[in-house]
Amino acid sequence: MLESYLRKRLENKKILTMTHMVMGYPSFEVSAELVDTMVAAGVDLMELQIPFSEPIADGPVILNANQRALATGATVAKCMDFAGRMADTHKIPFLLMSYSNILFQQGFGPFTRAMAVKNLAGAIVPDLPPEEGADYLREMGAHQLAPIFIFSPTTPGDRMTYLDSVARGFVYCVARRGVTGTDTEFSRSMDTYLARCRRHTRLPLAVGFGVTAKKDVDFLVDRADIAVIGTQTIRLMETKGMGAVGDFLTALT
Amino acid sequence: MLESYLRKRLENKKILTMTHMVMGYPSFEVSAELVDTMVAAGVDLMELQIPFSEPIADGPVILNANQRALATGATVAKCMDFAGRMADTHKIPFLLMSYSNILFQQGFGPFTRAMAVKNLAGAIVPDLPPEEGADYLREMGAHQLAPIFIFSPTTPGDRMTYLDSVARGFVYCVARRGVTGTDTEFSRSMDTYLARCRRHTRLPLAVGFGVTAKKDVDFLVDRADIAVIGTQTIRLMETKGMGAVGDFLTALT
Amino acid sequence: MNDNAYYGRYGGAFIPEILRATIKDLERIFDAARSDDTFWPEFSGLMSSYSCRPTPLTFAGNLTGHFSGARIYIKREDLNHTGAHKINNVMGQGLLTRRMGKNRVIAETGAGQHGVATATMAAKFGLDCTIYMSKTDVLRQRPNVFWMERLGARVIPVTSGSRTLKDAINEAMRDWSAHMDTTHYVLGTACGPHPFPAMVTYFQSIIGEEVRTQILKSENQLPSRIYACVGGGSNAMGIFSAFLADDSVELVGVEAGGKGLETGQHAARLCADGARAGVAQGYKTYFLQDADGQMKKTHSIAAGLDYVGVSPILSHLHDTRRVRFTAATDDDVIAAMELAMQKEGIIPALESAHAFALAFKEAPALSGDEIIVINQSGRGDKDIFTIADAFDDPKWKSFIIDHAAQYHA
Amino acid sequence: MNDNAYYGRYGGAFIPEILRATIKDLERIFDAARSDDTFWPEFSGLMSSYSCRPTPLTFAGNLTGHFSGARIYIKREDLNHTGAHKINNVMGQGLLTRRMGKNRVIAETGAGQHGVATATMAAKFGLDCTIYMSKTDVLRQRPNVFWMERLGARVIPVTSGSRTLKDAINEAMRDWSAHMDTTHYVLGTACGPHPFPAMVTYFQSIIGEEVRTQILKSENQLPSRIYACVGGGSNAMGIFSAFLADDSVELVGVEAGGKGLETGQHAARLCADGARAGVAQGYKTYFLQDADGQMKKTHSIAAGLDYVGVSPILSHLHDTRRVRFTAATDDDVIAAMELAMQKEGIIPALESAHAFALAFKEAPALSGDEIIVINQSGRGDKDIFTIADAFDDPKWKSFIIDHAAQYHA
Ligand SMILES: Cc1ncc(COP(=O)(O)O)c(C=O)c1O
Ligand SMILES: Cc1ncc(COP(=O)(O)O)c(C=O)c1O
């Protein structure tokens, strides 16, 4: 169970880190190397994104990674294989991240069965709210997979409670309006927001925002359980190479 | 009196010729030379056109001559001087040809007075029908000048009679629809048309159409009194020079 | 010609004899149509099913607020089919052409609006169509030329004279002199020999009649002022004619001030020095001419106002002071256009923007109880090449350069 | 989401959590407006004073004679202010934006018509405006971009994805996710998450309501068939919705056949193989996609039809067979456009010409007692660069080359 893994891990660490990557970008070989690097740097769990042609919740950096991965031949089948290999090779839990249509075209049943077979822990599907996801929830439940849902600053309290009731593993709190990859100001209002999130869920809280330094991660200690590092690692890999990614992550954890 | 001059002349000649030119095109010097050439070739009377910027009854050749004359500085005053000099130097009658506005801007009184002083015989103003020309007719009459009017194939009989009543000197019959410079077919219908013109006026008949050879002039013998040569001499002068104009006219008469 | 051919000292029919019978015929057909009770309903029915008459009278709330003077209304002739008031006159003359049994129409055009309207009417009525357009205007109004050709018309670029609207009129007259048996000349404005000024005004009067009904309905009060641009004068006569008898309604005609009246590069015949009564193109009116009576060169950023003469009816209304004439410069016009776009989301034609410019200048001095109406004679889409250049738009330039490069390849 | 978000299997609101409150808010505001008796009169009053509603239903006598089949009528959405039906939806959403108290609007655009309409509405309502437009469409619809900018909008060329309409929608969604507190997303067609399909259809239904009144008045009989082109589906839903309950009225949706369905270079989602139900851009519908669910490249000569999805309402009407879907190729469209111009003097937009193409194909087989209605969703002026190239017009080319040369100088 994802949640219990996280709780256990939190007994020894004040805050966990989750990283993100787009599978097949720039190639599956580099993707594998990246996972090795990240795991070696001590990250606690990972989001593996199956690229989609219409990633509406992603900003320019991840959007570009999606497109490049597709252009160089990433398919859903290759991504599932890749994710399975990673889960087999590494000890940390892996989540899939993608958009509704990827799951819908495979069928929720087959998709979740494959996830289970490949030992994946759960999934984040930003354009699949629970209201549209009855089949998804049922199948995820049947295979004991964690459907991760998202809290946002615009989510009212009663809806947080509802989301909490269907979520498993943890809750992903987006720290601000907008898509992935924009910077966030650390502010009082963030404090208030995270306190509100905490009040509305029994699950661990992951927070995604522009983490670029250890002090950003430190800020989250006591306020959340998991710091999510998304766009920044892709940027580093693109501009300074794999080594820089490892150094960056090592310094964070 | 223009009419009596023409009648007298017709006693010795089966048909008269009238030529046309645009004063100041391509220059007043060449215009003077052209008049000399034409008179020497035996033409019986001449139309001298005062160039106007909007010559709506003229086709491309004469239109161009109007524009060029204006562009190189022809003014109404210069044209009047020129016409006066020609009338003083040569024995044949000279008519002015122009458009309403040229007369209107000078004033019909001053304009006709100047014509009389310069011994000009009459005027052709294609855009001044008698209905619009009460002042013009009065002043032309006062100075014993011949206002020339036009019959066209579309002019009904009763209007021919009316035009005849105000016309002096001769009647100008346009041989076909259209502006100056287009060719006309010699045909039965022309016969009928000219006979109709003849029936409706007591004045000599001038006929303008694309005369290019002696046989064209011969065609008009007995059908009309004056053959008008307009565009063709301008064309000849432009393409083959002054000498060709003289040869052409000499061959016609 | 008969008395009703004159407006004070202006008007008449100064035409070559060859055209006289045709013009008389047209006069007869027009008079018969006008006194036939079924004709106007036929005409206005056609305009409401083929174009979108009545066109709206739009209250310009933002502009009114911006100037905090008179309440500003805009008559939306831009919404007509083909994009300007020109279609009113053209469809009317189309009906007359049918009554005359002719199978061909010709027209002059400056802005191209009248050419597009005529080509459109010719397609709808199944007539052959030839359009005369000065070479200068062919260049500055190329999109309209393209559409005329696609609509099946022949467009003949006129290279004689000063290469503006007047030269296109001369050429059309020449064509007409040769082909009047089969051909009707659809003159595009309230100029030319009788009966054209009366006839064009008659068809365009549909604008003013609608405005009268509309403003009385929405405000229960007549406007204090009505602004219209003046090229040949057809949209102005169209909107003014319904208010001539109302002394309380000031009528303002806006001419093309070009680069400024003092530069001589303009087309202001009634509000500037340098124009005098004269005779050309078949009628008597104020013309911009030199002492000899030769027509002067005119200039306007708006092709449709770049004309040396003006409706004889307006010349008369000028002399009697029933209409006040004034001018807007090219620069005024671009500024007015920009404001109209950004405040109200409307894109006036460059011609129409002259009326806007004056209204904007004068609106602040009027009180909030007063109403002004601006005649938006057409839409500005056709002017994109001119306007893009006026705004010196770098993206447009590089677009055109890239597009041209494709053609070279 | 609630039940009224679905049409059979299609529709829904597949949106990121961040947008949920906004979408719910919009739904609430829309529902309140719809059940407020004063709202529709306010909307239709605005459309009749600012645009020219009701737009005419023109009897196409020459085309009817040409095909000697059904009597052909054309609904003239081209006469709307800004030149297409898009303004109906936009002005409606403008009223809702005001009700929500937001001060900024964003929109995607393909043909540019929706962008121009939105920029226009923003000017009229005093709102900030940003338009997302794919780089490809910025190039092929440059005149519309120019006008959007002049109207005060920012136009952002979208270079991601396949650089067509869908990518502009994605970018607009991203902007909305960041600025929904101040910003309303004016989606331009009957697609996207609930309540957009219902809302856009509601505003566009003014088209069909008018047609129903107009045809009953002029023919006292319902049409046998109604043809509309289908991009996202808003003009089609707009004209179809008033006739859904009349079984005798066959509704025909015409998709972009591009270079031919067999070539795969098209945008036919409902009448061709290769489309399946899927979820993207916030809703479930037929999408042109590969086995993995990645969206395919589409092609159409008409930017406004070059879209990978389609209204979920139309997907449902496809499955229930209430609407028949078919396609017209780029070549069919150019031929239909030419015929419409030359026979009736109208210039349909390339999008609209798809509907004409099918109507022309089918009209001869119907009897003279039957009526067909074609929805002319917009006018073709905006397409001049595309159409001139389609006709390979040498004069246009040299005009552009000369114009470009001026800029180099
Ligand atoms: C939109 C528009 N307005 C005005 C004019 C000027 O003509 P008129 O003075 O006859 O209305 C034109 C002429 O082409 C035009 O296209
Ligand atoms: C004129 C015109 N017609 C049709 C369309 C297609 O959109 P829809 O299917 O929503 O009517 C567009 C889109 O831009 C358009 O501009």
Side-chain angles (χ1 to χ4, degrees):
Chain A
M1 287 304 79
L2 181 59
E3 184 184 346
S4 51
Y5 163 83
L6 297 171
R7 298 257 178 241
K8 189 111 151 256
R9 199 92 169 175
L10 280 165
E11 286 167 13
N12 304 316
K13 269 177 134 174
K14 288 184 146 181
I15 190 147
L16 309 183
T17 51
M18 173 168 86
T19 53
H20 164 276
M21 56 169 297
V22 177
M23 290 182 278
Y25 175 72
S27 68
F28 283 102
E29 293 69 45
V30 175
S31 293
E33 230 185 292
L34 199 56
V35 173
D36 291 348
T37 305
M38 287 173 167
V39 173
V43 308
D44 302 287
L45 73 166
M46 281 190 68
E47 263 183 277
L48 304 176
Q49 181 164 358
I50 305 175
F52 180 48
S53 57
E54 322 300 313
I56 51 171
D58 289 303
V61 172
I62 299 183
L63 167 60
N64 176 60
N66 273 260
Q67 290 177 209
R68 303 294 315 136
L70 290 173
T72 52
T75 61
V76 176
K78 288 186 197 167
C79 289
M80 293 300 281
D81 277 359
F82 176 87
R85 269 191 286 124
M86 295 307 111
D88 284 350
T89 329
H90 298 286
K91 288 257 146 58
I92 64 166
F94 288 87
L95 306 171
L96 291 182
M97 187 267 178
S98 196
Y99 287 85
S100 296
N101 204 42
I102 298 298
L103 286 71
F104 184 72
Q105 296 307 324
Q106 304 287 320
F108 291 108
F111 190 89
T112 49
R113 210 170 310 125
M115 282 182 67
V117 167
K118 290 175 193 300
N119 279 317
L120 300 168
I124 304 178
V125 189
D127 67 343
L128 194 58
E131 288 84 352
E132 302 290 1
D135 295 351
Y136 167 69
L137 287 173
R138 193 185 55 247
E139 297 293 341
M140 291 290 278
H143 295 95
Q144 323 247 309
L145 297 165
I148 311 298
F149 285 99
I150 293 168
F151 285 2
S152 88
T154 61
T155 310
D158 55 352
R159 183 166 170 82
M160 286 184 172
T161 306
Y162 167 63
L163 290 171
D164 175 60
S165 75
V166 291
R168 297 292 177 269
F170 63 92
V171 164
Y172 190 130
C173 305
V174 301
R176 34 123 198 81
R177 290 155 173 71
V179 291
T180 55
T182 11
D183 287 350
T184 309
E185 256 184 84
F186 302 92
S187 67
R188 264 284 198 68
S189 71
M190 175 98 116
D191 250 17
T192 324
Y193 165 58
L194 291 179
R196 194 162 70 83
C197 292
R198 185 70 92 189
R199 268 203 313 284
H200 286 94
T201 182
R202 67 212 137 86
L203 294 172
L205 286 187
V207 181
F209 60 98
V211 171
T212 54
K214 175 124 181 38
K215 73 169 170 29
D216 302 339
V217 177
D218 289 345
F219 171 86
L220 288 181
V221 171
D222 291 339
R223 292 180 170 93
D225 306 299
I226 306 167
V228 183
I229 296 119
T231 306
Q232 182 66 6
T233 53
I234 300 188
R235 274 206 201 100
L236 277 175
M237 191 184 66
E238 287 172 348
T239 56
K240 306 203 172 147
M242 190 69 70
V245 175
D247 295 348
F248 169 66
L249 291 174
T250 308
L252 287 189
T253 51
Chain B
M1 287 302 77
L2 180 58
E3 184 184 348
S4 51
Y5 164 82
L6 297 172
R7 297 262 180 234
K8 190 110 153 254
R9 199 89 170 173
L10 280 165
E11 288 168 12
N12 305 316
K13 267 177 137 175
K14 288 184 144 182
I15 190 146
L16 309 183
T17 51
M18 172 168 87
T19 51
H20 165 276
M21 54 169 297
V22 176
M23 291 182 279
Y25 174 72
S27 67
F28 283 101
E29 293 69 45
V30 176
S31 292
E33 230 185 293
L34 199 54
V35 173
D36 292 347
T37 304
M38 287 172 167
V39 172
V43 308
D44 303 289
L45 73 166
M46 281 191 68
E47 260 182 278
L48 303 177
Q49 181 163 359
I50 305 175
F52 180 47
S53 57
E54 322 300 314
I56 50 171
D58 288 302
V61 173
I62 299 183
L63 166 61
N64 176 59
N66 274 262
Q67 290 177 210
R68 301 297 313 138
L70 290 173
T72 52
T75 61
V76 175
K78 287 187 198 167
C79 290
M80 293 300 280
D81 277 359
F82 176 86
R85 269 190 287 125
M86 295 306 112
D88 285 349
T89 330
H90 298 284
K91 287 257 146 58
I92 63 166
F94 289 86
L95 306 171
L96 291 182
M97 187 267 177
S98 196
Y99 287 84
S100 297
N101 204 42
I102 297 299
L103 286 72
F104 183 74
Q105 296 309 321
Q106 305 286 321
F108 291 108
F111 190 87
T112 50
R113 210 171 309 125
M115 281 182 68
V117 168
K118 290 175 194 297
N119 280 316
L120 300 169
I124 304 178
V125 190
D127 68 342
L128 192 59
E131 289 84 352
E132 303 290 1
D135 295 351
Y136 168 68
L137 287 172
R138 193 183 57 245
E139 298 292 343
M140 291 290 279
H143 296 94
Q144 324 247 308
L145 297 165
I148 311 296
F149 285 100
I150 292 168
F151 285 1
S152 88
T154 61
T155 310
D158 56 351
R159 183 167 171 81
M160 285 184 172
T161 305
Y162 167 63
L163 291 172
D164 174 60
S165 75
V166 291
R168 296 293 177 267
F170 63 91
V171 164
Y172 191 130
C173 306
V174 301
R176 34 121 199 82
R177 289 155 172 72
V179 290
T180 55
T182 10
D183 287 350
T184 310
E185 257 183 83
F186 301 93
S187 67
R188 265 285 199 66
S189 71
M190 176 98 116
D191 250 17
T192 324
Y193 165 59
L194 292 180
R196 194 162 73 83
C197 293
R198 185 71 94 187
R199 268 203 314 283
H200 285 93
T201 182
R202 68 214 136 83
L203 295 172
L205 287 187
V207 180
F209 61 97
V211 171
T212 55
K214 176 126 182 37
K215 74 166 170 30
D216 303 340
V217 177
D218 290 345
F219 171 87
L220 288 180
V221 172
D222 293 339
R223 292 180 169 96
D225 305 300
I226 306 168
V228 183
I229 296 118
T231 306
Q232 182 66 5
T233 52
I234 300 188
R235 273 205 203 101
L236 276 176
M237 190 184 66
E238 288 173 346
T239 55
K240 306 200 172 150
M242 191 68 73
V245 175
D247 294 347
F248 168 67
L249 291 174
T250 309
L252 287 187
T253 52
Chain C
M1 208 129 282
N2 55 20
D3 284 351
N4 65 14
Y6 271 88
Y7 312 91
R9 304 156 55 211
Y10 310 101
F14 295 79
I15 45 164
E17 185 61 30
I18 190 84
L19 281 173
R20 189 184 163 84
T22 304
I23 286 264
K24 277 280 156 198
D25 214 45
L26 178 61
E27 192 182 338
R28 213 187 55 246
I29 292 276
F30 169 54
D31 285 342
R34 183 153 51 162
S35 54
D36 173 347
D37 286 347
T38 68
F39 185 73
W40 186 266
E42 180 186 2
F43 167 63
S44 67
L46 178 63
M47 293 315 291
S48 66
S49 72
Y50 186 60
S51 187
C52 65
R53 305 218 70 93
T55 56
L57 182 68
T58 303
F59 175 61
N62 297 335
L63 287 169
T64 299
H66 182 73
F67 292 114
S68 55
R71 292 169 61 76
I72 302 175
Y73 279 85
I74 298 170
K75 178 62 171 169
R76 302 293 302 283
E77 292 300 300
D78 60 307
L79 293 176
N80 268 303
H81 183 44
T82 71
H85 70 294
K86 296 283 175 189
I87 194 79
N88 301 326
N89 166 44
V90 164
M91 296 306 289
Q93 292 199 43
L95 293 174
L96 296 183
T97 305
R98 195 150 75 185
R99 285 189 171 215
M100 291 184 285
K102 296 185 171 180
N103 62 18
R104 177 172 178 263
V105 286
I106 57 175
E108 87 291 348
T109 194
Q113 287 303 121
H114 179 57
V116 169
T118 304
T120 295
M121 177 275 276
K124 174 88 176 162
F125 283 84
L127 307 170
D128 275 355
C129 182
T130 299
I131 305 291
Y132 291 92
M133 188 168 188
S134 83
K135 185 80 193 214
T136 310
D137 292 336
V138 164
L139 291 180
R140 61 181 161 172
Q141 304 284 350
R142 179 72 224 186
N144 272 343
V145 176
F146 178 77
W147 295 121
M148 285 179 240
E149 292 180 339
R150 303 275 39 115
L151 287 159
R154 245 178 96 204
V155 179
I156 301 189
V158 176
T159 54
S160 56
S162 60
R163 301 187 167 197
T164 58
L165 183 54
K166 75 171 175 59
D167 307 290
I169 293 181
N170 291 340
E171 276 311 307
M173 286 273 186
R174 292 185 184 105
D175 180 317
W176 205 23
S177 299
H179 306 108
M180 64 282 193
D181 297 337
T182 57
T183 299
H184 174 59
Y185 175 19
V186 184
L187 217 157
T189 188
C191 290
H194 182 75
F196 283 110
M199 190 170 74
V200 176
T201 297
Y202 170 76
F203 290 125
Q204 293 293 4
S205 71
I206 197 167
I207 303 172
E209 296 300 336
E210 288 175 6
V211 169
R212 199 180 175 91
T213 308
Q214 288 166 325
I215 199 75
L216 287 176
K217 187 167 168 212
S218 66
E219 296 270 0
N220 196 25
Q221 172 191 339
L222 289 178
S224 300
R225 286 189 199 161
I226 300 179
Y227 294 86
C229 68
V230 180
S234 70
N235 87 86
M237 280 310 304
I239 196 166
F240 291 166
S241 54
F243 299 91
L244 284 174
D246 302 294
D247 290 339
S248 69
V249 183
E250 188 182 14
L251 306 173
V252 185
V254 188
E255 300 185 275
K259 302 193 172 159
L261 297 185
E262 68 290 354
T263 66
Q265 296 193 56
H266 61 77
R269 300 124 314 176
L270 295 172
C271 74
D273 302 334
R276 284 193 320 289
V279 177
Q281 312 211 300
Y283 69 114
K284 188 183 287 184
T285 198
Y286 278 88
F287 284 104
L288 282 163
Q289 52 185 320
D290 67 15
D292 268 3
Q294 310 296 355
M295 297 301 139
K296 284 193 185 161
K297 275 217 160 76
T298 51
H299 164 81
S300 172
I301 194 172
L305 304 187
D306 202 351
Y307 178 51
V308 76
V310 65
S311 176
I313 315 181
L314 289 174
S315 285
H316 180 56
L317 293 169
H318 167 266
D319 287 5
T320 62
R321 304 186 175 223
R322 178 63 191 93
V323 178
R324 169 161 63 94
F325 289 89
T326 173
T329 64
D330 293 352
D331 289 347
D332 293 343
V333 160
I334 292 293
M337 182 154 187
E338 189 154 33
L339 195 68
M341 289 193 284
Q342 297 190 354
K343 287 284 168 194
E344 297 292 343
I346 54 174
I347 305 179
L350 284 170
E351 289 79 11
S352 320
H354 285 70
F356 282 75
L358 251 287
F360 292 173
K361 194 181 269 178
E362 300 185 353
L366 298 180
S367 87
D369 301 335
E370 294 185 277
I371 296 162
I372 64 181
V373 176
I374 304 169
N375 197 14
Q376 184 174 354
S377 54
R379 54 176 153 88
D381 309 37
K382 69 178 174 67
D383 295 317
I384 190 163
F385 284 89
T386 311
I387 296 171
D389 289 348
F391 283 103
D392 204 25
D393 186 59
K395 286 190 244 172
W396 176 259
K397 287 187 190 175
S398 56
F399 166 68
I400 293 294
I401 289 170
D402 291 351
H403 212 83
Q406 284 175 33
Y407 294 145
H408 284 301
Chain D
M1 204 125 286
N2 55 18
D3 284 349
N4 67 12
Y6 271 87
Y7 312 91
R9 304 156 55 211
Y10 310 101
F14 295 80
I15 45 164
E17 185 61 31
I18 190 85
L19 281 175
R20 188 183 167 86
T22 304
I23 286 264
K24 277 280 157 198
D25 214 44
L26 178 61
E27 192 181 339
R28 211 187 56 247
I29 293 276
F30 169 54
D31 285 341
R34 184 154 49 164
S35 52
D36 173 347
D37 286 346
T38 69
F39 185 72
W40 187 265
E42 181 186 3
F43 167 63
S44 66
L46 179 62
M47 293 314 291
S48 65
S49 72
Y50 187 59
S51 186
C52 65
R53 303 218 72 93
T55 58
L57 182 67
T58 303
F59 175 60
N62 298 333
L63 287 169
T64 299
H66 182 73
F67 292 114
S68 55
R71 292 168 63 75
I72 302 175
Y73 279 85
I74 298 169
K75 178 61 171 171
R76 301 293 301 284
E77 293 300 300
D78 60 306
L79 292 176
N80 268 303
H81 183 45
T82 72
H85 70 293
K86 295 283 175 188
I87 194 78
N88 301 327
N89 166 44
V90 163
M91 296 306 290
Q93 292 199 43
L95 293 174
L96 296 183
T97 305
R98 194 151 74 185
R99 285 189 172 215
M100 290 184 285
K102 296 186 171 179
N103 63 16
R104 177 172 178 263
V105 287
I106 56 174
E108 87 291 348
T109 194
Q113 286 304 121
H114 179 57
V116 169
T118 304
T120 295
M121 177 275 276
K124 174 88 176 162
F125 283 84
L127 307 169
D128 275 354
C129 182
T130 300
I131 304 292
Y132 292 91
M133 189 168 188
S134 83
K135 186 79 193 221
T136 310
D137 291 336
V138 165
L139 291 180
R140 59 181 162 173
Q141 305 283 351
R142 179 71 225 187
N144 272 342
V145 175
F146 177 77
W147 296 120
M148 286 179 241
E149 292 179 339
R150 303 278 35 117
L151 287 160
R154 245 179 95 202
V155 180
I156 301 189
V158 176
T159 53
S160 57
S162 59
R163 302 185 166 196
T164 58
L165 183 53
K166 73 171 177 61
D167 307 291
I169 294 180
N170 291 341
E171 277 309 308
M173 287 273 185
R174 291 184 185 108
D175 180 317
W176 204 24
S177 300
H179 307 107
M180 65 282 191
D181 296 338
T182 58
T183 300
H184 174 59
Y185 175 18
V186 184
L187 217 157
T189 188
C191 289
H194 182 75
F196 284 110
M199 191 170 74
V200 176
T201 297
Y202 170 77
F203 290 124
Q204 293 293 4
S205 72
I206 197 167
I207 304 172
E209 295 299 336
E210 288 176 5
V211 169
R212 197 179 177 91
T213 308
Q214 289 165 324
I215 199 75
L216 288 175
K217 188 168 169 213
S218 66
E219 296 268 0
N220 197 24
Q221 171 191 339
L222 289 178
S224 299
R225 288 189 199 162
I226 300 178
Y227 294 87
C229 68
V230 181
S234 70
N235 87 86
M237 280 310 302
I239 195 166
F240 291 166
S241 55
F243 299 92
L244 284 174
D246 303 294
D247 289 339
S248 69
V249 182
E250 188 181 14
L251 306 172
V252 185
V254 188
E255 300 185 276
K259 302 194 172 158
L261 298 186
E262 68 290 353
T263 66
Q265 296 193 57
H266 61 78
R269 300 124 314 176
L270 294 172
C271 74
D273 302 335
R276 284 192 321 288
V279 177
Q281 312 213 297
Y283 69 114
K284 187 183 288 184
T285 199
Y286 279 88
F287 283 103
L288 281 163
Q289 53 184 321
D290 69 14
D292 268 4
Q294 310 296 357
M295 296 302 139
K296 283 192 186 163
K297 274 215 160 74
T298 51
H299 165 82
S300 171
I301 194 171
L305 304 186
D306 203 352
Y307 178 51
V308 75
V310 65
S311 175
I313 314 181
L314 288 175
S315 284
H316 180 55
L317 293 170
H318 167 266
D319 287 6
T320 61
R321 304 187 173 221
R322 180 63 192 94
V323 178
R324 169 161 63 94
F325 289 90
T326 171
T329 64
D330 293 352
D331 290 346
D332 294 344
V333 160
I334 292 292
M337 182 154 187
E338 189 155 32
L339 195 68
M341 290 193 282
Q342 297 191 353
K343 288 283 167 194
E344 298 291 344
I346 53 174
I347 304 179
L350 284 170
E351 289 79 10
S352 320
H354 284 71
F356 282 74
L358 252 286
F360 291 174
K361 196 181 267 177
E362 300 185 352
L366 297 180
S367 87
D369 302 335
E370 293 184 278
I371 296 161
I372 65 181
V373 175
I374 304 168
N375 197 14
Q376 184 173 354
S377 53
R379 56 176 152 87
D381 310 37
K382 69 177 174 69
D383 295 316
I384 190 162
F385 285 89
T386 311
I387 295 172
D389 289 349
F391 282 103
D392 203 25
D393 186 60
K395 286 189 245 172
W396 176 259
K397 286 187 190 175
S398 56
F399 166 69
I400 294 294
I401 289 171
D402 291 352
H403 212 84
Q406 284 174 34
Y407 294 144
H408 284 301

